[in-house]
């Protein structure tokens, strides 16, 4: 299948200010033309009548668990889940085993990912073994294929070390992504600290943990003239800090996940560990604040923080590890809660889920311009479906959206012009 013609779809691509009916011709994996009507003789036609055609989504916060934790997920299953969600590029976090802190591990990931159904861009750790001590050799890691650095899953606790890390990464030309958490404030908490944690009698994670480190990272980026990307923002306070920092010209960007603008800590009343993640679901005021931050441009990207954990691990509400899967539901959840409610245009949604993350990470993705890779998501905006965890492509089923009915779904996903996912109903 060296060529493909996608006909009669509504193409939405904010990178070229495009929202209208067009055909797309892809040859040898590369987009050749996007025109109102393309007449070429092509043996491979996809009829996208009634569907929308988007640049493949870019999820810049994913845990693929490979190497080392492949009972939860591996590169192939994680990428299958991505393809089923219209996601063609993922940035994978370094809390693997071993930690992604060496050229060897980066090479392992990139080699295995070469035949997977999504493009995998590894994030290397900031510190050796994610121990928060020695800084890695960012230039060597970049050469081996790292596209950003982060100790995600943990904060870099020492402020001086983070400051030096940000400067070193800046000189190496790598973005820094920060997981904002103060472990001394968290003290073993497992859900948001507040009414619900009290009611359940479980230790809480105080919002000041997230907010104080977000403030620190902004101060460090400002002081050093470097840039910082704040991961999984969940609180009203952190969103306000990012908004204010942007207004002051600090080079800060941030992301949030669908669960933070759709759900609240009330879900935890079920005592089901599938609703536990870090940072945790917060209050209704936070949910509303995150939604407002998505709407006013404070939030740059919608990501999943796709964090698969095995059924046995999630069985015990108190002891289960934090994290939820999300690759297969992020587009549907966002279409349902942001687009079908009239809050966000399709074009803005594509910015949040494709254009912006590609720009922040400097990836050759997030656009359908001629010359770009043929990474495409074909979406039925009106397809209604219910999330059945056991039907997900991921090895793990820890989704907060189990049983939820969404409107909108990727029905076909192309990677370099090749069909990697086709909705079967
Ligand atoms: O919920 C989370 N799970 N948050 C993190 O920061 C790490 C992630 C994981 O690796 O499971
Ligand atoms: Zn994190």
């Amino acid at each position: 299948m060296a060529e493909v013609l996608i006909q009669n779809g509504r193409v939405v691509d904010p990178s070229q200010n495009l929202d209208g009916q067009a055909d797309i011709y892809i040859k040898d994996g590369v987009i050749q033309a996007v025109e109102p009507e393309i007449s070429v003789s092509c043996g491979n036609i996809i009829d996208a009548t009634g569907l929308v055609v988007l640049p493949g989504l870019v999820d810049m916060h994913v845990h693929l668990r490979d190497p080392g934790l492949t009972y939860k997920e591996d590169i192939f299953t994680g990428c299958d889940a991505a393809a089923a969600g219209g996601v063609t590029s993922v940035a994978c976090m370094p809390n693997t085993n071993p930690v992604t802190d060496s050229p060897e591990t980066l090479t392992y990931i990139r080699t295995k990912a070469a035949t997977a159904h999504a493009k995998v861009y590894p994030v290397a750790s900031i510190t050796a073994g994610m121990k928060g001590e020695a800084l890695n050799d960012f230039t060597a890691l970049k050469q081996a294929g790292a596209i950003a650095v982060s100790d995600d899953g943990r904060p870099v606790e020492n402020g001086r070390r983070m400051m030096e890390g940000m400067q070193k990464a800046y000189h190496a030309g790598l973005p820094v992504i920060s997981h904002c958490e103060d472990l001394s404030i968290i003290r073993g908490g497992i859900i948001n600290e507040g009414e619900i944690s009290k009611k359940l009698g479980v230790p809480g994670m105080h919002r000041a943990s997230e907010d104080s480190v977000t403030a620190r990272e902004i101060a460090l980026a400002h002081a050093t003239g470097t840039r910082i990307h704040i991961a999984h923002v969940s609180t009203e306070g952190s969103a306000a800090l990012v908004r204010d920092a942007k207004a002051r010209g600090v080079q800060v960007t941030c992301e949030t996940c669908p669960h933070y603008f759709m759900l609240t800590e009330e879900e935890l009343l079920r005592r089901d560990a599938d609703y536990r993640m870090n940072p945790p679901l917060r209050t209704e005021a936070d949910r509303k604040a995150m939604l407002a931050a998505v709407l006013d441009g404070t939030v740059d990207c919608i990501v999943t923080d796709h964090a698969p954990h095995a059924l046995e691990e999630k069985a015990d509400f108190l002891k289960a590890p934090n994290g939820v899967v999300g690759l297969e539901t992020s587009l549907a959840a966002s279409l349902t809660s942001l687009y079908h409610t009239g809050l966000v245009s399709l074009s803005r949604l594509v910015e949040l889920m494709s254009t912006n993350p590609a720009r922040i990470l400097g990836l050759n993705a997030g656009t359908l311009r001629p010359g770009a890779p043929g990474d495409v998501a074909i979406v039925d905006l009106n397809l209604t479906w219910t999330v059945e965890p056991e039907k997900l492509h991921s090895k793990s089923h820890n989704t907060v959206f189990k049983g939820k009915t969404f409107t909108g779904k990727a029905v076909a996903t192309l990677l370099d012009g090749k069909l990697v996912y086709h909705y079967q109903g």
Side-chain angles (χ1 to χ4, degrees), residues 61 63 93 95 150-154 178-181 231-232 255 278-279 305:
H61 195 141
H63 298 269
M93 289 297 167
N95 58 344
S150 179
D151 273 5
D152 184 66
R154 291 182 57 79
S178 176
H179 167 111
C180 296
E181 179 177 16
H232 43 51
E255 62 185 38
N278 184 19
D305 195 3

